[in-house]
């Protein structure tokens, strides 16, 4: 386990961890990242930290990156323990927010929502509707995927 070998990860720059970052966060190891990039390749860890409620680990400068990393490495009793606890709770099915696993980690939920979006895109294509944005509202299992009488995929309320 990664958390047995380190208590903080210093993210690479300008292209950061991606899979390594997700693995680290899932293992409960906080990641300090430099968030001054303007492209997707440099903001993956930044996004993960924000979604999981840890924007304080995103540094806006090299000096801040160093300061946050040193603080996380030295102050293990307070800052590290609090951050690690939040990460571990986000991964557990019994997370305190009452909805089980945090959506960032819930692959089944992500897959259901992606399928809904793709089904809606296909339905619009079949019905020859004009191109437009597709917004998916996370309903967390209140809909099921079915086909209507014309064979077009739709979502039906349970």
């Amino acid at each position: 386990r990664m958390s047995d070998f380190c208590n903080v990860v210093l993210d690479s720059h300008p292209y950061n961890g991606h899979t390594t970052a997700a693995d680290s966060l899932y293992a409960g190891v906080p990641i300090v990242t430099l968030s001054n990039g303007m492209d997707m390749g440099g903001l993956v860890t930044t996004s993960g930290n924000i979604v999981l409620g840890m924007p304080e680990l995103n540094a806006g400068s090299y000096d801040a990156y160093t300061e946050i990393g040193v603080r996380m490495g030295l102050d293990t009793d307070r800052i590290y323990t609090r951050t690690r606890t939040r990460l571990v709770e986000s991964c557990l099915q019994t997370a305190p927010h009452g909805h089980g696993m945090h959506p960032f980690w819930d692959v089944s939920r992500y897959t259901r929502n992606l399928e809904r979006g793709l089904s809606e895109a296909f339905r619009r294509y079949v019905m020859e509707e004009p191109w437009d944005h597709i917004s998916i509202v996370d309903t967390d299992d209140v809909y099921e995927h079915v086909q209507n009488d014309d064979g077009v995929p739709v979502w039906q309320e349970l």
Side-chain angles (χ1 to χ4, degrees):
R1 290 188 24 105
M2 185 180 296
S3 59
D4 294 338
F5 300 105
C6 64
N7 60 357
V8 66
V9 170
L10 301 177
D11 203 14
S12 57
H13 184 75
Y15 298 101
N16 55 37
H18 296 258
T19 303
T20 305
D23 289 346
S24 178
L25 291 169
Y26 195 73
V29 179
I31 302 178
V32 178
T33 190
L34 184 57
S35 302
N36 64 357
M38 295 303 292
D39 57 36
M40 190 279 296
L43 296 173
V44 174
T45 306
T46 298
S47 298
N49 282 344
I50 290 170
V51 167
L52 293 171
M54 300 175 302
E56 69 276 8
L57 299 180
N58 298 333
S61 68
Y62 288 107
D63 288 340
Y65 176 81
T66 303
E67 189 270 325
I68 296 168
V70 168
R71 187 168 23 103
M72 288 294 292
L74 295 177
D75 189 3
T76 57
D77 289 337
R78 190 172 59 89
I79 297 171
Y80 166 74
T81 302
R82 184 178 61 229
T83 304
R84 178 163 162 64
T85 300
R86 283 189 306 191
L87 276 173
V88 171
E89 286 176 350
S90 79
C91 300
L92 299 175
Q93 292 294 336
T94 57
H97 52 72
H99 299 292
M101 185 177 284
H102 190 286
F104 187 80
W105 305 118
D106 194 341
V107 175
S108 296
R109 185 177 183 177
Y110 173 84
T111 301
R112 284 190 305 272
N113 288 327
L114 177 61
E115 287 173 344
R116 289 179 55 221
L118 293 174
S119 293
E120 177 61 15
F122 183 68
R123 185 196 67 76
R124 290 180 185 186
Y125 170 76
V126 169
M127 302 305 288
E128 298 182 353
E129 293 180 10
W131 291 56
D132 199 1
H133 294 280
I134 296 174
S135 296
I136 300 300
V137 176
D138 183 6
T139 57
D140 207 19
D141 292 328
V142 297
Y143 290 90
E144 69 178 344
H145 185 238
V146 296
Q147 290 188 347
N148 68 14
D149 295 334
D150 298 321
V152 177
V154 295
W155 286 92
Q156 175 178 305
E157 194 166 5
L158 293 174

